[in-house]
Amino acid sequence: MLAAIKRGQYPRGMDFDTIILGAGAAGMFCAIEAGRRGRRVLLIDHARKPGEKIRISGGGRCNFTNFHIAPEKFLSQNPRFALSPLKRYTQWDFIDRVDRAGIAWHEKTLGQLFCDGSAGEIIDMLRQDLADAGVTLWLETKVDAVRSNGAGFEVVTSDRPVNADTLVVATGGKSIPKMGATGLGYRIAEDFGIKVVPTRAGLVPLTFAPHLLEQTKELPGVSVTARVSHGRTSFDEGLLFTHRGLSGPSILQISSYWQEGDALQVDLAAGHDVPEMLNDERRSNGKLSIKNALARHLPEKLAVLIVRSAGLTGNLADQSKADLARLEAALHKWQVKPSGSEGYRTAEVTLGGVDTAALDARTMQAKAHPGLFFIGEVVDVTGWLGGYNFQWAWSSGWVAGQVC
Ligand SMILES: Cc1cc2nc3c(=O)[nH]c(=O)nc-3n(C[C@H](O)[C@H](O)[C@H](O)COP(=O)(O)OP(=O)(O)OC[C@H]3O[C@@H](n4cnc5c(N)ncnc54)[C@H](O)[C@@H]3O)c2cc1C
């Protein structure tokens, strides 16, 4: 296992070929590749341990990739940009690596691959590879400044200044600041005159204004399979009512497309024509109350709210066509306007970032600054929920690692 070299323990005056800022998924992967090429690599992070987001990912089991990697599963001002790295280092390459490390995995749903055991197995694999590749890892090291020094780059750290020919920025986004996210990579890009696409929280729970919270106050904890749509984009996955608004996979997914002020269309019983089913039931069981009839298809608390909001009372037999049409609107075509999102505090990712137009997709190198690379989440490439973001980290880290 790699022993971290701590502040003050490294011989003074020693330079490196490559310095990588950020020992997350992308930075570690890039460092391994560069180290395997014989480069003298220094990997710096201010955290106590590398790969902290890997550790907490996928509910502790790390959803490390997805069978269905494709450009349309990524958001970016130029979604085609991701194609080249994703094709050069694919999900099959990563699966092969996990297999070779003897890590057992399974497909959960929608092509999402998780460790059978814990996310720690992925971190152990990467740490072993870092050690084998001879990478120097400085943890608990703050980056104070980064500058170009003509021949290469100087990084001023809380330990001491270090120089290298090339510099890779892999400091991730702004999500979950308490896990070490700082936004440093965006500041470095701007210092080098590289455009940063405005950032916002993605894969994040959405919040309600007080009047909507009042309407849904009985529902926190209730979950259904829903179709949530924003324009032409829809996700059919779980939806969870919370004390703040809405969460669950369908909401996290659509949150990356949603902007403040937008409404969402929600089908709370996706894949079922509930009014039609109630119509059928009316013939055989007309005396059943509309509330109890609906509760056969939905969680009871939600059924009560839908019946109330559609203004329905009485038995199935009492319901007119117009009543069932109102039920259909309340259930299958709920228009809801979240007031905001929970923000970076709970967001899984940061949308926006270093403009892909400034980078060469074959190498992740800044076109105007030879030797300067940006990889992983700091770049304006954001995947759907489901292993897409780690695959982007592996792929972009791998391509940079071939040349940096
Ligand atoms: C709760 C949660 C669960 C997730 N689950 C999944 C999942 O199952 N599957 C999936 O594909 N994606 C998941 N993601 C998203 C995924 O974790 C990220 O997309 C991925 O970690 C990005 O990798 P990265 O290396 O670019 O950045 P990061 O993993 O964020 O790594 C950046 C590193 O840079 C370091 N750093 C930052 N600023 C500084 C600084 N100023 N000085 C020194 N070091 C610095 C940080 O400490 C960190 O180690 C999840 C995210 C969260 C928050």
Side-chain angles (χ1 to χ4, degrees):
M1 194 55 62
L2 187 74
I5 297 172
K6 294 228 173 113
R7 210 166 292 174
Q9 291 179 320
Y10 206 80
R12 295 201 163 263
M14 184 83 154
D15 281 332
F16 294 87
D17 296 323
T18 302
I19 297 173
I20 300 174
L21 304 181
M28 283 198 276
F29 220 59
C30 179
I32 292 163
E33 289 306 310
R36 285 178 175 172
R37 287 170 40 236
R39 300 282 283 171
R40 292 172 304 145
V41 181
L42 171 63
L43 179 58
I44 299 177
D45 204 295
H46 63 170
R48 279 180 46 237
K49 292 180 185 168
E52 280 295 85
K53 276 200 183 158
I54 300 176
R55 187 177 56 76
I56 59 159
S57 67
R61 288 221 156 89
C62 187
N63 178 191
F64 55 81
T65 192
N66 194 295
F67 279 145
H68 310 303
I69 299 294
E72 61 272 19
K73 311 282 172 71
F74 293 84
L75 291 88
S76 168
Q77 285 201 339
N78 176 13
R80 307 292 302 170
F81 176 87
L83 196 57
S84 169
L86 291 170
K87 270 189 160 170
R88 288 185 58 210
Y89 189 85
T90 68
Q91 66 272 43
W92 312 112
D93 293 320
F94 195 77
I95 293 166
D96 182 52
R97 186 149 179 161
V98 166
D99 284 343
R100 277 187 282 118
I103 299 173
W105 54 269
H106 61 279
E107 180 188 357
K108 199 167 167 192
T109 177
L110 302 170
Q112 302 168 1
L113 307 190
F114 288 76
C115 298
D116 287 356
S118 87
E121 294 175 78
I122 299 284
I123 301 175
D124 289 347
M125 172 185 83
L126 296 172
R127 290 194 73 153
Q128 188 58 54
D129 287 349
L130 284 173
D132 294 345
V135 172
T136 300
L137 177 62
W138 285 3
L139 294 171
E140 298 179 86
T141 302
K142 228 173 125 253
V143 175
D144 293 325
V146 168
R147 45 189 169 246
S148 160
N149 63 6
F153 299 85
E154 181 182 51
V155 177
V156 181
T157 73
S158 48
D159 180 14
R160 65 188 177 87
V162 271
N163 296 295
D165 300 337
T166 61
L167 177 70
V168 183
V169 181
T171 45
K174 296 179 182 173
S175 319
I176 323 245
K178 77 169 187 233
M179 295 215 61
T182 59
L184 173 70
Y186 308 121
R187 292 198 293 279
I188 295 175
E190 281 167 351
D191 285 350
F192 279 88
I194 294 171
K195 190 181 146 207
V196 174
V197 175
T199 58
R200 64 192 168 87
L203 299 181
V204 64
L206 298 177
T207 53
F208 283 170
H211 74 281
L212 261 178
L213 279 183
E214 177 61 27
Q215 278 172 31
T216 56
K217 67 181 179 203
E218 305 293 333
L219 299 183
V222 169
S223 65
V224 288
T225 300
R227 166 169 294 183
V228 183
S229 309
H230 178 269
R232 285 202 222 146
T233 308
S234 296
F235 293 96
D236 283 33
E237 290 184 65
L239 175 150
L240 173 72
F241 288 88
T242 72
H243 290 285
R244 293 196 183 87
L246 295 174
S247 188
S250 61
I251 293 295
L252 299 186
Q253 296 278 34
I254 213 74
S255 73
S256 296
Y257 292 84
W258 178 85
Q259 307 254 14
E260 230 166 287
D262 293 351
L264 297 174
Q265 180 142 322
V266 182
D267 180 345
L268 289 163
H272 303 283
D273 186 343
V274 175
E276 184 61 33
M277 288 153 97
L278 295 181
N279 215 4
D280 288 347
E281 268 177 78
R282 177 158 62 175
R283 288 184 208 114
S284 57
N285 202 358
K287 285 192 177 147
L288 187 65
S289 78
I290 179 73
K291 186 206 85 183
N292 288 346
L294 191 58
R296 290 181 170 186
H297 305 282
L298 287 180
E300 188 175 355
K301 285 178 179 170
L302 184 58
V304 170
L305 185 75
I306 300 279
V307 164
R308 201 189 310 140
S309 67
L312 305 180
T313 52
N315 298 335
L316 272 181
D318 302 328
Q319 310 307 315
S320 65
K321 264 193 171 171
D323 291 333
L324 289 183
R326 285 208 306 285
L327 176 73
E328 179 175 16
L331 182 62
H332 290 303
K333 294 175 187 160
W334 182 34
Q335 289 276 352
V336 59
K337 209 182 233 192
S339 59
S341 85
E342 290 190 6
Y344 293 121
R345 188 180 58 82
T346 61
E348 286 200 11
V349 289
T350 303
L351 293 151
V354 174
D355 191 352
T356 57
L359 305 177
D360 180 343
R362 287 165 307 173
T363 58
M364 303 304 293
Q365 187 165 201
K367 288 174 185 166
H369 298 281
L372 177 62
F373 298 75
F374 292 87
I375 56 173
E377 195 177 323
V378 73
V379 178
D380 172 34
V381 172
T382 306
W384 284 7
L385 187 77
Y388 296 97
N389 286 296
F390 277 136
Q391 186 59 46
W392 170 244
W394 315 133
S395 297
S396 58
W398 188 90
V399 298
Q402 307 310 306
V403 288
C404 68

